Structure formats: structure tokens, C-alpha cells
């Protein structure tokens, strides 16, 4: 009973979690899914605009290229936003960076809303780029802000809610995109502008919340402001342990500026943290989940499902991912990050290997397509229970304050460029390899599983300084004499 009341006292922190999610990772989820529904209408708009300008219809290849750019430019915008996530939150604070980010999303929504009136498909391209910037900056700062406001006992659960909001965004994008809601020729500009609503909500509500306590204490040296922010968010007066932990971390960075991307890439003291960030977390785009979504439609079609029902099945897939990510949030602080993500990747690799075999023999028996549908849902369940959620939660544990912003720049760069490359090249890979394209993703899953299970230390329930000490045993392996002398100060001296 006492534990329940203890958790309930964090209600303001939970409210902040919702506010950050609405304008943060939710925007990522909705932008990924909502663009599929109006594809035909937008391509028709491009053709009509071309006719109006040049008195001739647009070539099919040109129309397809413009549409591909509209889809892919989101990743490039997100990369630009991720790059700025290393400077804006450091210079202006986490809260002001998000407020600015919401303005970007509102401007993007206006571009979408007036594109048809202005007869300009270029406005859609600009709007998608700005949405991408909003997603790239917002996702990184969302995780930073939330991780720096959370007690260590709740840090895993709260940072994992970012994955829940991504899943929620995907489902919402799929629902509002059906023809019964906004997926019509008349409504497509409003559908593409819908992300302006979460941006307005976050902009208004975030004004009532304090800046991240760890940013105030460690970066700004505002001890009293940090204490007041913690007391307001946690509803707790005894903050000695948290203040002591922040003091240790601040002493380790005393007199040091925030680290650059070059520092993170070249410093020995964060080498294994960087590998953990890059391989299983930021590289999650290479686990094959997007390829699976692509193949799902072919498998559903082969099973005799009518074409006009495909969109509803997509909602079912998105809902499955959302449910399993929610379950992951209940397990992460019990099972730990390492086991959930490591065994998740291992099981994904095994299941996709089996799916590859079954796709190869799909014509041998009429029941095999239904087995493949079951395997697709199995992979999505495993992905939601492990890699999807933990890839968002684990990076918040890996780096001390001085290193965190630049680490998120690297993570965002790998993630968004990976998404761009998979989106642009996957069609060619499928044409060349067919169902055997999954073997590439199987190799990544097994690599990530082995890396996590054999090398990465568990971070569950540990302070930032304790996690750093665990990683120092890997960073300075075979130098035990030095390890005994390593303390928090070394995090900024090497």
C-alpha cells in the first residue's frame, strides 16, 4: 500500500510524461503512418498542379519521384532536428527547445493546410521537412527532458512511454486516415495538417511545468531552482539522495563544457556506451520491422483478404505493437533493459528466419499464408515487448549530463539516416532478393542480441554515476589498477 501511495505522489511527473509524449514521440508515430492514406490524392494534386502550370500532365516517373521525396524528406528533416538537439537544449534549456519545436510544427501544419489553395506541392515538401525537423528535435529532447526529471526507480518506465506514444501515434494516424474519417480527396490537406493540434496542446500546457531539474543543477548551477523543480514534480521533501547524485555528477563536469560529437566519438571513457547506443538502440531501423510491415500486405493478399480491408488490418498491426509496448513498460523495471532487449532481438531473429523459410514454401500448402500471418504478429509482439521500447529507454541511462546532448545527436543521425536508406533502398533489395531480404535483418538481430547479452551491463535501478562505473570496467578493461583510481571525475578528463 505504501509503495502504491509512493508512486501516486508522482502524479505531476506522470502528467509531464503525457505532455511531453503528445508533442514529442506521438508526432513521430503519426507522421510515419498518416502519409500512407492520402497518397493517391496527393499524387492527383501534383498532376493537377502540373497541368495548371505547364498545360501538360506530369510524367508518371516524375510524379512518383515527387511522391517519394514527400515521403523521404521527413527523414532528412528529422536528421537536421537531431543535429540541433545537441545545441538548442544545452543553450536554451530543454523546455524552451520544445516550445520552439512546437512553433516549427505549427508552421508546418499551416504549409500543409494552405498547399491546395496555393496550388503548390512544394509547400507539402517544405511542410514534411519541417515536420521531420520537429520529430527529430522533439524525440531527442523529449527523452532528455523526461530522463532528467525521473527518479531512478521510474526512469525506465517513464522513458519507455515515448515508445508507447509512438505506437499510439501510428494507430491514430491509421484511424484518422481511413476514408470514413479524413482519408478523402476533400480532407487530405486537413489530414496532413493534423500534427499542428498536438503541437498547440504541448506549447500551452508545457508553460506550467518547470525546467528539467538535472539541467538546472548540473548545467546552470541553480541548486535552489533544481530543488524546487524536484519538490514540485515529485511532491517530496527528502531529496538528499537525488541532490547528492547530481552533486557528484556536477563535480565530475566542473569547469567542463558540454561535450561535442567529436568528443563522444573519440573519447575512450564512453566507448562502450557509444557502441551500446549505436548498435542495438539507434540501429533499430535495421531490425526489419518496416520490411515486415511492407511484406504483411502481400501475405494478407495471398490469404484472400479483400483489398479494401487491408487498411483495417494495418490498424490491427499498429494496435498490437502499442499493446505489447505498453506491456513492456510494466516489465522493464522488473526484468531489466538487457534481458528484454537482448532476448527480444534473439527471438526476432529466430522468428524471421522461420518466416523466410515459410515464405519460400508458401505455394506448397494453402494453410501456409495463415501461418505466415501468425508469424508476422509474433515478430511484432516480440518487437514491442523488447527492442521497440527499450531502444528508447536505454539511451537515457548511458551518458552523464555533459555527454548526453551530443550522444543524442549521434543516435538521431544513425536512426534517421538509417530510416532514409531503408526507405530508399528497400524496394531494390526486395526486387533482388525477394523474401530472402529478411536474412539481412536476421543477421542484425543476432548481432545485437549477442552484443547486449554478452557485453552490456544492466542499468536497471542504478544512478548515472553507478552506470558509468560499470561501463568503465569495459572501457578500461585489463587495466584494473587504473579502474581502482577511476571516479566520476574521469568521465570528463579522458
Amino acid at each position: 500500500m505504501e509503495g502504491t501511495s509512493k508512486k501516486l505522489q508522482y502524479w505531476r511527473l506522470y502528467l509531464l510524461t503525457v505532455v511531453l509524449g503528445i508533442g514529442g514521440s506521438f508526432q513521430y508515430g503519426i507522421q510515419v503512418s498518416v502519409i500512407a492514406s492520402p497518397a493517391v490524392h496527393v499524387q492527383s494534386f501534383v498532376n493537377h498542379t502540373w497541368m495548371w502550370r505547364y498545360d501538360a500532365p506530369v510524367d508518371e516517373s516524375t510524379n512518383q519521384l515527387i511522391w517519394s521525396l514527400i515521403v523521404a524528406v521527413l527523414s532528412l528533416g528529422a536528421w537536421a532536428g537531431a543535429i540541433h538537439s545537441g545545441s538548442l537544449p544545452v543553450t536554451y534549456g530543454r523546455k524552451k527547445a520544445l516550445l520552439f519545436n512546437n512553433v516549427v510544427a505549427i508552421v508546418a501544419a499551416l504549409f500543409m493546410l494552405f498547399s491546395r489553395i496555393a496550388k503548390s506541392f512544394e509547400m507539402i515538401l517544405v511542410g514534411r521537412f519541417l515536420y521531420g525537423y520537429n520529430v527529430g528535435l522533439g524525440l531527442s529532447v523529449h527523452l532528455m527532458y523526461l530522463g532528467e526529471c525521473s527518479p531512478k526507480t521510474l526512469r525506465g518506465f517513464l522513458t519507455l512511454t515515448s515508445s508507447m506514444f509512438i505506437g499510439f501515434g501510428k494507430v491514430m494516424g491509421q484511424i484518422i486516415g481511413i476514408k470514413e474519417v479524413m482519408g478523402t480527396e476533400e480532407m487530405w490537406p486537413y489530414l496532413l495538417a493534423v500534427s499542428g493540434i498536438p503541437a498547440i496542446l504541448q506549447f500551452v500546457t508545457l508553460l506550467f511545468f518547470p525546467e528539467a531539474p538535472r539541467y538546472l543543477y548540473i548545467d546552470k548551477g541553480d541548486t535552489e531552482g533544481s530543488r524546487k523543480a524536484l519538490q514540485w514534480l515529485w511532491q517530496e521533501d527528502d531529496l538528499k539522495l537525488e541532490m547528492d547524485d547530481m552533486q557528484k555528477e556536477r563535480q565530475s563536469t566542473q569547469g567542463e563544457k558540454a561535450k561535442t560529437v567529436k568528443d563522444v566519438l573519440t573519447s575512450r571513457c564512453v566507448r562502450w556506451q557509444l557502441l551500446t547506443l549505436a548498435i542495438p538502440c539507434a540501429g533499430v531501423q535495421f531490425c526489419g520491422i518496416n520490411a515486415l510491415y511492407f511484406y504483411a500486405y502481400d501475405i494478407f493478399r495471398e490469404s484472400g483478404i479483400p483489398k479494401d480491408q487491408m487498411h483495417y488490418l494495418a490498424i490491427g498491426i499498429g494496435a498490437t505493437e502499442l499493446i505489447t509496448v505498453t506491456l513492456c513498460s510494466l516489465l522493464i523495471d522488473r526484468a531489466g533493459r538487457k534481458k528484454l532487449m537482448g532476448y527480444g532481438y534473439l527471438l526476432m531473429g529466430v522468428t524471421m528466419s522461420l518466416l523466410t523459410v515459410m515464405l519460400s514454401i508458401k505455394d506448397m500448402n494453402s494453410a501456409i499464408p495463415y501461418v505466415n500471418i501468425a508469424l508476422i504478429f509474433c515478430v511484432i509482439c516480440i518487437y514491442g515487448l523488447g527492442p521497440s521500447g527499450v531502444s528508447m529507454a536505454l539511451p537515457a541511462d548511458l551518458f552523464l549530463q555533459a555527454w548526453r546532448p551530443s550522444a543524442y545527436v549521434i543516435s538521431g543521425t544513425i536512426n534517421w539516416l538509417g530510416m532514409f536508406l531503408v526507405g530508399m533502398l528497400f524496394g531494390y533489395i526486395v526486387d533482388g532478393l525477394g523474401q530472402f531480404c529478411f536474412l539481412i535483418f536476421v543477421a542484425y538481430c543476432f548481432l545485437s542480441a549477442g552484443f547486449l547479452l554478452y557485453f552490456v551491463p544492466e542499468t536497471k535501478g542504478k544512478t548515472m554515476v553507478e552506470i558509468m562505473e560499470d561501463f568503465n570496467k569495459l572501457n578500461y578493461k585489463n587495466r584494473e589498477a587504473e579502474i581502482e583510481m577511476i571516479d566520476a571525475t574521469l568521465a570528463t578528463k579522458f
Side-chain angles (χ1 to χ4, degrees):
M1 194 72 181
E2 185 180 342
T4 304
S5 62
K6 177 82 172 171
K7 289 183 178 179
L8 287 175
Q9 78 180 42
Y10 295 116
W11 67 270
R12 287 178 175 171
L13 181 59
Y14 301 147
L15 195 57
L16 175 63
T17 302
V18 174
V19 170
L20 292 176
I22 287 171
S25 56
F26 177 83
Q27 298 281 49
Y28 171 37
I30 202 168
Q31 283 301 318
V32 167
S33 64
V34 81
I35 196 65
S37 175
V40 175
H41 306 311
V42 173
Q43 287 176 307
S44 175
F45 168 69
V46 170
N47 188 50
H48 289 155
T49 304
W50 200 278
M51 281 282 291
W52 178 73
R53 290 180 185 176
Y54 307 110
D55 293 323
V58 65
D59 293 337
E60 186 177 341
S61 59
T62 304
N63 200 349
Q64 187 58 46
L65 176 62
I66 292 171
W67 172 248
S68 297
L69 286 172
I70 289 171
V71 174
V73 77
L74 181 83
S75 301
L76 297 181
W79 181 30
I83 290 172
H84 283 157
S85 70
S87 56
L88 288 178
V90 174
T91 306
Y92 301 104
R94 284 44 168 163
K95 181 177 173 178
K96 287 181 180 178
L98 285 179
L99 292 174
F100 163 75
N101 199 42
N102 289 319
V103 175
V104 174
I106 294 167
V107 172
L110 291 174
F111 270 93
M112 295 299 192
L113 196 60
F114 294 107
S115 59
R116 183 166 61 185
I117 297 172
K119 296 183 179 179
S120 171
F121 59 82
E122 293 87 352
M123 289 178 69
I124 300 176
L125 281 166
V126 173
R128 281 284 287 178
F129 181 85
L130 291 176
Y131 273 147
Y133 184 93
N134 168 262
V135 166
L137 178 61
L139 192 58
S140 296
V141 182
H142 172 185
L143 292 169
M144 260 187 262
Y145 198 157
L146 196 53
E148 292 169 13
C149 290
S150 306
K152 65 179 182 180
T153 53
L154 292 174
R155 193 171 63 236
F157 165 72
L158 291 178
T159 52
L160 188 142
T161 59
S162 61
S163 289
M164 292 167 60
F165 277 101
I166 290 174
F168 182 47
K170 286 180 180 178
V171 174
M172 284 302 298
Q174 290 162 345
I175 291 173
I176 64 176
I178 62 176
K179 61 181 181 294
E180 291 85 355
V181 186
M182 297 179 76
T184 62
E185 188 171 2
E186 295 76 23
M187 294 293 290
W188 69 260
Y190 303 97
L191 178 62
L192 295 181
V194 78
S195 285
I197 297 173
I200 293 170
L201 286 174
Q202 189 185 72
F203 186 91
V204 173
T205 53
L206 196 58
L207 295 171
F208 297 96
F209 289 90
E211 179 57 87
R214 297 185 80 89
Y215 171 79
L216 290 173
Y217 192 109
I218 298 170
D219 288 80
K220 295 299 181 183
D222 185 359
T223 306
E224 190 57 32
S226 175
R227 184 185 296 277
K228 286 180 179 178
L230 280 174
Q231 285 175 335
W232 192 88
L233 287 168
W234 295 10
Q235 298 286 282
E236 189 173 328
D237 293 323
D238 185 11
L239 300 168
K240 186 176 185 306
L241 290 176
E242 183 68 17
M243 298 300 288
D244 287 347
D245 181 55
M246 288 194 289
Q247 184 180 9
K248 286 179 184 177
E249 191 171 336
R250 185 162 190 263
Q251 287 173 348
S252 76
T253 60
Q254 193 70 45
E256 297 281 343
K257 295 181 180 178
K259 299 298 178 179
T260 65
V261 170
K262 182 181 178 183
D263 293 330
V264 179
L265 291 172
T266 59
S267 297
R268 179 171 187 166
C269 67
V270 291
R271 183 177 298 168
W272 280 90
Q273 290 97 313
L274 179 62
L275 288 172
T276 305
L277 180 76
I279 298 173
C281 295
V284 73
Q285 294 288 347
F286 300 105
C287 74
I289 194 68
N290 291 327
L292 200 68
Y293 273 89
F294 177 85
Y295 249 97
Y297 287 95
D298 288 338
I299 294 169
F300 292 153
R301 196 178 300 112
E302 289 165 5
S303 303
I305 295 168
K307 186 177 180 180
D308 60 350
Q309 301 296 314
M310 294 289 182
H311 203 79
Y312 301 101
L313 278 169
I315 294 174
I317 291 175
T320 301
E321 185 180 335
L322 175 59
I323 292 167
T324 51
V325 169
T326 304
L327 290 174
C328 179
S329 71
L330 303 176
L331 296 173
I332 190 166
D333 285 319
R334 293 178 173 84
R337 285 74 155 154
K338 176 177 178 174
K339 289 182 179 178
L340 272 181
M341 199 177 196
Y343 287 116
Y345 272 130
L346 183 63
L347 289 174
M348 276 187 75
V350 171
T351 310
M352 281 198 291
S353 298
L354 182 58
L355 179 61
T356 303
V357 173
M358 298 304 288
L359 285 170
S360 302
I361 60 172
K362 63 188 177 185
D363 297 324
M364 293 180 65
N365 191 295
S366 60
I368 290 179
Y370 297 98
V371 175
N372 291 338
I373 289 175
L375 288 173
I376 285 174
F377 276 91
C378 283
V379 175
I380 290 167
C381 287
I382 296 166
Y383 173 72
L385 283 170
S388 175
V390 183
S391 64
M392 292 292 179
L394 186 57
D397 295 344
L398 297 176
F399 293 90
L400 295 181
Q401 192 81 5
W403 303 85
R404 194 172 296 123
S406 292
Y408 274 106
V409 172
I410 295 170
S411 174
T413 297
I414 296 170
N415 183 53
W416 296 113
L417 289 184
M419 183 177 178
F420 180 76
L421 289 173
V422 170
M424 293 297 289
L425 299 178
F426 179 66
Y428 298 103
I429 295 172
V430 171
D431 289 342
L433 298 177
Q435 69 273 12
F436 295 105
C437 68
F438 283 110
L439 295 179
I440 299 171
F441 306 122
V442 166
Y444 168 81
C445 288
F446 285 144
L447 171 66
S448 295
F451 178 80
L452 281 159
L453 295 173
Y454 285 99
F455 296 106
V456 177
E458 181 55 71
T459 63
K460 178 186 72 173
K462 296 179 181 178
T463 66
M464 300 293 186
V465 174
E466 289 169 345
I467 293 168
M468 184 202 71
E469 290 169 351
D470 285 343
F471 272 101
N472 275 339
K473 296 173 184 176
L474 294 170
N475 294 326
Y476 301 98
K477 196 173 182 180
N478 301 324
R479 295 171 66 178
E480 288 82 359
E482 289 188 28
I483 292 173
E484 292 177 5
M485 300 173 65
I486 290 171
D487 57 22
T489 306
L490 283 175
T492 59
K493 300 302 181 187
F494 271 78

